Every structure is written in structure tokens, then in C-alpha cells.
Amino acid sequence: MQRYFIYLSYDGAAYHGWQVQPNGLSVQECLERALSTLLRRPVAVTGAGRTDAGVHASLMVAHFDADAPLDAVLLADKLNRLLPPDIAVSRIRPVKPEAHARFSATSRLYRYYVTTAKTPYLRQYRCRLFHVPDFARMNQAAATLFDYEDFTSFSKLHTDVKTNNCRILHAAWTQVDDVTWVFTIRADRFLRNMVRAIVGTLLDVGRGKLTVEGFRRIVEQRDRCRAGTSAPGHALFLADVTYPEDLFLDGDGG
């Protein structure tokens, strides 16, 4: 048995998230179906995380097991021919048997894009703001995230996780162009809906509805009802997942 990591990207607009759903098409389902067709047996894949409905990934990682060693380059090419146009595989890498796409990851990075102008050709990838918020104040609030580990206030309710603790490694708004800003956040792990809840609450700070100290108190209260409304999913991208290099068997650190 040989385990492989698949690196892929997808436009999430047409999908009910990453995870297989009983009532809608998911990215995981499409990938499992394509792999099962090519390998001529049922193949299960496990993702590094679970993006919500409409959320995109410029880089997602998933693992699967094969009965025997595979030509990773050829398999990636065949998968891309079989998968729909909005899902693309960039590479497949052999890994150690204990490597796990979710539990072996050391960090994940998300980006959330907002625009203050009407942009017809990017409307499905940007959250439109009708007033320019105070991004400097939003960055002051984002900096307080480093002081905490428990992010219950930004977690979807009634999830099956054992802990709501996360370690934030980076969190900041930066300007992309005259009308576009991006919030970039990296952590060792994320809770369900966490990034969108943080962005929505930071936007309340930027609009003057909430102070920086008020944002801090929301984190400390550990109550999702105190935080702001979750930002729309269509402007969120999973952008990176990192792993210890000694998990890989191909010796390619690129």
C-alpha cells in the first residue's frame, strides 16, 4: 500500500463545500469518483480541511491510498482530463504511510478579498463593500488575535471538535490595488466558519460599530452570538497548507 498527497485547486461556486454531502455535489465526491474510475476500485480521499459551500481553494491537499506505486505525473494528467473544468490537480506526491492530509499539517493559510468598487468580472471572488472601512483599525483588532488560543467566539456552533484552541501565526489586511484589500490569516488549525466569522467581526470594527477593545472582549467571552455576522463565502480562498518535509518520499522540496 502506498499513500499519496494530491495538491489541487478549485472554484467552489458550484459545490456544497469540500466534504461529501447527502444533498449536493462536493469537491471531495468529484475527486473520489475520478480516482475510482482511473484506479478501477473505490478510492476514498481525506482533505486537509473542510471548506464551506461556495468557498474556493487555490491550494487544497488531500491523501489517498493505492494498492501499488503509481506514476504520479501520469495520474495527475489523467485526473485533470477527467475532472470538471473548475477542479485542477497540480501535483501528486508519494508520502510515508503515517502521513495524513489533515492531522500532519503544520499550518493552513486563508485569504479573504474585499473590494470597494463594482467589479463585474470578479464579483464571484470579492465581497463588495459599499463604504470604505478603517483598515488600520481593523489591523489593530486583528493583532489582538495573537494574544488568544480559544476561538469559540468565531466557531460554528455544535461542531464535533474536541477543542476550540488554535494558534494564530499571521493575521493582517493588506491593500492589493486602489479598490481591493485582502485579509490573510495563517494558523496551525481553523474551526468551522472561523475565518468568515473573524472577517465579519473585523468589518464591524472597520465600520465603527465595534471598538478594538470591543473586539478583544468578544474573543474573551467565547460566545459566537457576541461576534459579528459571517462574511460571505464566495470571497474566501484556502491558499496554502504546509507539512514537515520528511513526510515526502520523492525528495522534492519545491
Side-chain angles (χ1 to χ4, degrees):
M1 190 74 69
Q2 175 62 60
R3 178 158 291 186
Y4 290 89
F5 275 11
I6 300 180
Y7 287 73
L8 67 150
S9 56
Y10 52 84
D11 182 323
Y15 301 98
H16 288 243
W18 161 263
Q19 193 171 26
V20 171
Q21 303 287 333
N23 59 346
L25 185 64
S26 71
V27 179
Q28 183 185 27
E29 179 183 341
C30 287
L31 186 58
E32 288 182 343
R33 186 188 304 155
L35 273 170
S36 299
T37 298
L38 291 173
L39 301 183
R40 299 183 180 182
R41 65 173 180 83
V43 178
V45 300
T46 300
R50 298 184 294 184
T51 55
D52 292 334
V55 175
H56 317 289
S58 48
L59 191 152
M60 165 66 91
V61 182
H63 77 248
F64 75 97
D65 294 322
D67 295 329
L70 302 170
D71 184 327
V73 175
L74 181 61
L75 180 60
D77 181 64
K78 288 184 176 181
L79 275 174
N80 279 325
R81 295 170 187 266
L82 203 55
L83 287 165
D86 50 10
I87 303 175
V89 173
S90 57
R91 67 191 306 191
I92 297 175
R93 301 182 67 183
V95 294
K96 293 179 179 178
E98 66 271 21
H100 194 285
R102 179 181 175 190
F103 297 123
S104 298
T106 55
S107 74
R108 297 157 177 84
L109 182 144
Y110 282 88
R111 292 192 174 100
Y112 194 93
Y113 292 87
V114 299
T115 179
T116 56
K118 188 175 183 180
T119 54
Y121 50 88
L122 287 175
R123 68 191 185 281
Q124 66 269 49
Y125 308 115
R126 303 287 186 268
C127 176
R128 172 77 190 281
L129 303 181
F130 293 91
H131 301 283
V132 180
D134 187 332
F135 287 101
R137 189 175 298 156
M138 289 157 67
N139 270 333
Q140 291 175 24
T144 69
L145 294 170
F146 299 110
D147 298 335
Y148 301 95
E149 290 185 347
D150 189 325
F151 292 100
T152 301
S153 293
F154 301 124
S155 172
K156 184 171 182 162
L157 298 175
H158 312 303
T159 59
D160 56 359
V161 298
K162 295 179 181 178
T163 174
N164 286 337
N165 286 6
C166 308
R167 185 165 59 97
I168 304 296
L169 305 171
H170 178 87
W173 290 91
T174 54
Q175 191 164 9
V176 178
D177 55 39
D178 289 345
V179 298
T180 308
W181 288 72
V182 59
F183 179 64
T184 304
I185 183 167
R186 184 186 289 275
D188 61 344
R189 63 191 291 266
F190 286 93
L191 308 173
R192 291 288 305 278
N193 201 239
M194 179 175 167
V195 180
R196 292 167 56 199
I198 288 175
V199 170
T201 311
L202 287 174
L203 286 171
D204 282 347
V205 174
R207 294 171 178 135
K209 295 172 62 178
L210 188 66
T211 65
V212 173
E213 283 306 309
F215 181 87
R216 184 186 288 277
R217 283 195 297 273
I218 284 173
V219 181
E220 293 173 349
Q221 286 172 322
R222 301 176 185 177
D223 182 353
R224 177 65 185 92
C225 296
R226 301 287 184 180
T229 303
S230 293
H234 71 275
L236 180 61
F237 290 76
L238 173 60
D240 191 29
V241 187
T242 58
Y243 298 92
E245 195 54 41
D246 61 6
L247 291 181
F248 299 93
L249 300 178
D250 55 11
D252 180 7

